[in-house]
Amino acid sequence: MSPDPAEAQDAARARLSPAGVLDVDPLLDDPDTRIVVCCGSGGVGKTTTAAALGLRAAERGRKVVVLTIDPAKRLAQSMGIDSLDNVPRRVKGTDGEGELHAMMLDMKRTFDEVVEAHADRERAAAILANPFYQSLSAGFAGTQEYMAMEKLGQLRARDEWDLIVVDTPPSRSALDFLDAPKRLGSFLDGRLIRLLTAPAKLGGRAGMAFLNVGMSIMTGTLGKLLGGQLLKDVQTFVAAMDTTFGGFRTRADATYKLLQAPGTAFLVVAAPERDALREATYFVERLDAEDMPLVGLVLNRVHGSGADRLSAERALAAAENLEEPRIVDQGGGKAGLRNSPDTYGSSETPASGTPAPDDGSPATDTEQPDTASTDAERSGTQQSGTQRSGAERSERQQSDSERSVDQLTAGLLRLHAERMQLLSREQRTRDRFTARHPEVSVVEVPALPGDVHDLTGLRDIGELLAAGRTELS
């Protein structure tokens, strides 16, 4: 007895896809889970996933804030908020006893808050007015990632929310915030910074002597390269920030340890595409190297079909047969005529009706019809011809209708074949990832016909995330 093809396919999938099922609800319900970080490459649905997780957690009784670092307005629009800023805003329209808040990182404002919190009023005013600081806080490389850590640390320290869901930047730099403390430490401990801060630390005449003798060549060279005013701005900024630098490093290290703590959960978000899952592999391996608690992979926009028993090959073959009927003779043809015992071995056509005279003699005068009979026969012939013409038109119309149905059916079969090929490609891509990382639990979210633009859509995504679907269908 031959095995069922569907069962064989399921068994093959089980062998190739050993990943466990990511159970979302226990993760969100666990009071020990305090931070969920969604990371992944751009365009895979991280913002939607983060918002859906936050909404589901809130409607299951938790007080949640969703922090997005993505400057796009999708999160605000889907939550019914006109705009998001650096202050958490309450989202209305949620069900249950929990609360949902949302905010978007304002990098410069967060930097300003740090300065204002860790410097006296006079020094803070000098720093905020410094041109070099204004440039640094607005777009210095790595500032966004560091400020994201600062804001996360602030939210966690306030202990106002049960759960913080973080939506990271849409690129491989999503994990750059892990390097922020190290980069900041390298910047603050760098030789140039030490030289620039040394005069301020020495103070008085000793400081001026050091500046005049030890840095005369350095400042002259930098002054030519950067401009005297810029160098002065940098020195003023460094002098004003000197007492604040230590606090930056301390808080960055504390937030880094917070990300490694058991209460934090990292979710890698990806699409079932080769490039996206390649990036997901990078994230998984990087998180493992940094000892960050990865809980699983969210595979977004997975395609499915309710007619997957019809393979792509069979669908294409059927479509070609409908479009080119000569490939396979679908009609009865003359098979019955050729196989008739009356005509076997003979090339003659069987007689039908009354046989014609075989002597070739013309008809006699008594056999010729009269004029009335001739007119009646002519009229009958015309009527018969009209009937035949109508029948032929009807047959042509029926044939055209059948041809149109065949063309439409062939087109649908080709669309189904493309869908099955897409499903097969997605499954192979997913299997490659799970074969490389069988320890990573996976949950799949089916592709939806439209975009998510409101709380209802986010609620639907949350239900799909909690459904635990882990096989392409």
Side-chain angles (χ1 to χ4, degrees):
M1 181 177 178
S2 60
D4 184 359
E7 294 180 358
Q9 186 179 27
D10 292 341
R13 285 181 177 179
R15 290 193 300 272
L16 292 173
S17 307
V21 179
L22 174 60
D23 205 349
V24 171
D25 282 346
L27 173 69
L28 299 178
D29 293 342
D30 188 354
D32 292 333
T33 303
R34 303 299 302 275
I35 299 173
V36 173
V37 182
C38 297
C39 54
S41 57
V44 296
K46 290 192 312 299
T47 301
T48 301
T49 299
L53 290 171
L55 176 61
R56 187 166 184 84
E59 294 189 336
R60 294 175 70 87
R62 304 198 70 179
K63 190 175 182 180
V64 185
V65 59
V66 177
L67 167 63
T68 180
I69 307 174
D70 187 352
K73 298 181 179 180
R74 293 186 302 273
L75 181 62
Q77 293 171 350
S78 63
M79 292 186 171
I81 301 176
D82 293 336
S83 62
L84 293 178
D85 52 23
N86 218 39
V87 179
R89 298 184 180 277
R90 177 78 178 269
V91 177
K92 300 178 181 179
T94 60
D95 300 331
E97 299 179 356
E99 294 182 10
L100 178 61
H101 301 253
M103 63 179 298
M104 184 175 71
L105 177 70
D106 185 332
M107 181 178 63
K108 188 179 187 312
R109 183 59 209 150
T110 301
F111 210 148
D112 293 348
E113 290 173 354
V114 172
V115 172
E116 292 168 348
H118 297 88
D120 58 65
R121 180 176 301 179
E122 182 178 353
R123 187 180 293 262
I127 294 173
L128 297 178
N130 185 275
F132 180 75
Y133 166 79
Q134 293 175 358
S135 176
L136 174 70
S137 60
F140 192 74
T143 306
Q144 183 185 46
E145 289 77 16
Y146 176 77
M147 287 305 136
M149 292 190 69
E150 277 282 348
K151 180 56 66 176
L152 176 60
Q154 291 175 10
L155 294 173
R156 185 66 181 86
R158 289 167 62 178
D159 204 24
E160 183 176 350
W161 291 276
D162 299 336
L163 179 64
I164 303 170
V165 182
V166 182
D167 168 37
T168 56
S171 66
R172 177 172 281 204
S173 64
L175 288 181
D176 283 351
F177 63 84
L178 299 179
D179 295 326
K182 298 177 183 178
R183 289 202 307 272
L184 183 65
S186 299
F187 172 72
L188 299 180
D189 295 333
R191 182 177 301 176
L192 175 60
I193 295 298
R194 290 201 303 271
L195 288 173
L196 292 174
T197 56
K201 290 180 179 179
L202 291 175
R205 292 183 179 181
M208 293 301 297
F210 180 87
L211 179 63
N212 291 333
V213 177
M215 293 189 66
S216 58
I217 298 178
M218 170 70 76
T219 54
T221 303
L222 290 175
K224 292 178 181 179
L225 294 175
L226 305 178
Q229 185 59 44
L230 176 59
L231 180 58
K232 183 177 180 180
D233 291 338
V234 173
Q235 289 175 322
T236 305
F237 164 76
V238 170
M241 288 287 289
D242 180 52
T243 57
T244 311
F245 280 154
F248 269 73
R249 187 186 297 106
T250 300
R251 289 188 305 278
D253 291 341
T255 305
Y256 186 82
K257 292 179 180 178
L258 181 65
L259 292 174
Q260 292 177 317
T264 301
F266 279 84
L267 281 175
V268 177
V269 184
E273 302 168 358
R274 184 174 58 182
D275 292 341
L277 281 174
R278 184 184 296 116
E279 289 293 297
T281 299
Y282 163 78
F283 286 122
V284 168
E285 294 174 353
R286 176 69 193 281
L287 290 170
D288 180 66
E290 298 287 343
D291 292 326
M292 298 293 173
L294 172 67
V295 295
L297 170 73
V298 175
L299 201 58
N300 257 336
R301 301 167 189 163
V302 177
H303 294 87
S305 173
D308 56 346
R309 291 184 180 275
L310 178 60
S311 66
E313 292 76 11
R314 291 178 60 192
L316 286 174
E320 291 173 356
N321 195 31
L322 287 171
E323 293 171 339
E324 296 289 341
R326 289 173 296 178
I327 295 178
V328 178
D329 189 2
Q330 295 176 314
K334 297 182 179 181
L337 181 63
R338 289 194 300 269
N339 296 330
S340 173
D342 296 334
T343 59
Y344 183 75
S346 172
S347 60
E348 296 179 357
T349 302
S352 61
T354 304
D358 57 0
D359 57 358
S361 60
T364 61
D365 292 341
T366 57
E367 295 174 345
Q368 293 185 7
D370 57 14
T371 304
S373 300
T374 302
D375 293 339
E377 291 176 359
R378 185 179 298 112
S379 175
T381 301
Q382 292 175 351
Q383 184 177 2
S384 177
T386 303
Q387 292 175 349
R388 285 197 304 271
S389 177
E392 291 173 356
R393 284 197 302 271
S394 177
E395 290 178 358
R396 284 198 300 270
Q397 291 174 355
Q398 183 178 359
S399 177
D400 292 341
S401 176
E402 292 176 353
R403 190 178 300 110
S404 298
V405 172
D406 288 349
Q407 291 174 349
L408 178 60
T409 304
L412 292 175
L413 286 169
R414 289 188 179 278
L415 287 175
H416 175 76
E418 292 177 2
R419 170 56 66 92
M420 295 308 298
Q421 290 170 346
L422 174 62
L423 265 62
S424 178
R425 185 164 61 250
E426 289 182 352
Q427 183 66 49
R428 289 195 304 270
T429 305
R430 175 189 183 276
D431 286 341
R432 283 198 293 270
F433 174 85
T434 54
R436 184 168 182 174
H437 294 288
E439 76 284 358
V440 179
S441 299
V442 180
V443 61
E444 295 178 3
V445 179
L448 300 180
D451 293 333
V452 176
H453 54 79
D454 55 17
L455 288 180
T456 301
L458 291 176
R459 195 172 288 115
D460 292 341
I461 293 294
E463 292 177 356
L464 292 171
L465 283 166
R469 179 176 178 269
T470 57
E471 286 188 0
L472 296 170
S473 60

